[in-house]
Amino acid sequence: MFGKKRASDSAARETRQLEVPPPAAFEIDASVQTDKGCVREINEDSGRMVRPADPRLLAEKGTLVVVADGMGGHSAGEVASQMAADIVSRLYYETRAEPGAALKRSVEEANRRIHEAAAEDEAKHGMGTTCTALALCQGRAHAAHVGDSRLYMLRAGQLYQLSEDHSAVNEMVKLGIITKEQARTHEDKNVILRALGTTPEVEVSVIEPFPVREGDRYLLCSDGLHDLVLENEIASILSESTDIHAAGERLIALAKERGGHDNITVGIIAIMPEGTAAAEAQDAPTTREVEAI
Ligand SMILES: [Mn+2]
């Protein structure tokens, strides 16, 4: 009898321990900015932020930020990065799957559509784009990534690079051929090994979903930023700033002070205490707009 009772008590305790705690009360503030920089004629980067106005969709899929850096002649890069931002931000909300799977499938589908568009039009032949996407949903972060745009997390004053560049120099760094510092100025630093649109299928890197914490800052950026602004500078600008839009402006201004040789895009998400987020709700994109692409 006693033994049995103890066993059932212990089972009850285990069940309680396995219960998922209710999500912490916090709000999400998000901002995306892009700038053509000081040298380029056009901006081939694209950035997008979506926070659905529909409370059910917001609860189900959360807030999404996408950064894409396009490449290809005659402004085809601009087309590719805009397609990536448009397609991923629509399909993510339309795909009936849990957030991580929906995000990965959306990026894979964007690849197929950009590749098809490139094949159909001589002027767009060979166009491609990076794509880094972060969805914050149900207290968790989900990310998908292709190319050398980056995702960073600032937590408790420490900056972590969560994405791994799909670039030639990163492979050389991993093999110990060059240092991370040498990679910054290497002649092949613009060679990326994976992009959306350049092949019929692409391998999308995903980050295992993890719980966000109040005070976290997430930064998505194109290489126009991380080429010119050091990680310790990114960390201090993100830590010092309570206004994430102003932080984005400071990051872009710093890259431009240093020559701004490339287009610069920054997306910042802040996990704020409840009642303090500043961003306005934005309507989720409609299906009709997808068909218009
Ligand atoms: Mn770039």
Side-chain angles (χ1 to χ4, degrees), residues 118-166:
E120 281 164 12
D121 183 346
E122 185 82 10
K124 300 192 183 86
H125 189 73
M127 72 173 172
T129 182
T130 71
C131 183
T132 300
L134 174 69
L136 294 189
C137 175
Q138 295 164 15
R140 294 168 85 80
H142 304 264
H145 157 72
V146 172
D148 68 349
S149 298
R150 286 184 185 166
L151 170 63
Y152 289 99
M153 175 179 75
L154 182 91
R155 176 171 284 179
Q158 195 72 38
L159 191 74
Y160 304 89
Q161 185 181 329
L162 301 184
S163 60
E164 193 185 336
D165 293 352
H166 302 138

Side-chain angles (χ1 to χ4, degrees), residues 50 57 61 64 66 83-99 101-113 284-287 290-291 293:
V50 182
L57 194 57
K61 290 287 179 57
L64 176 74
V66 183
M83 284 184 75
D86 288 346
I87 294 167
V88 171
S89 61
R90 283 164 176 75
L91 292 186
Y92 170 69
Y93 288 98
E94 289 173 4
T95 303
R96 290 186 175 276
E98 55 85 21
L103 198 55
K104 183 167 186 270
R105 280 187 225 163
S106 305
V107 176
E108 288 166 346
E109 183 59 23
N111 174 70
R112 278 190 281 275
R113 294 192 193 179
T286 64
T287 311
V290 176
E291 291 166 356
I293 288 166

Side-chain angles (χ1 to χ4, degrees), residues 40 45 69-70 148 190 222-224 262-264:
R40 300 283 173 88
D45 282 3
D69 176 352
D148 68 349
N190 291 323
S222 60
D223 63 340
D262 194 3
N263 309 139
I264 308 149

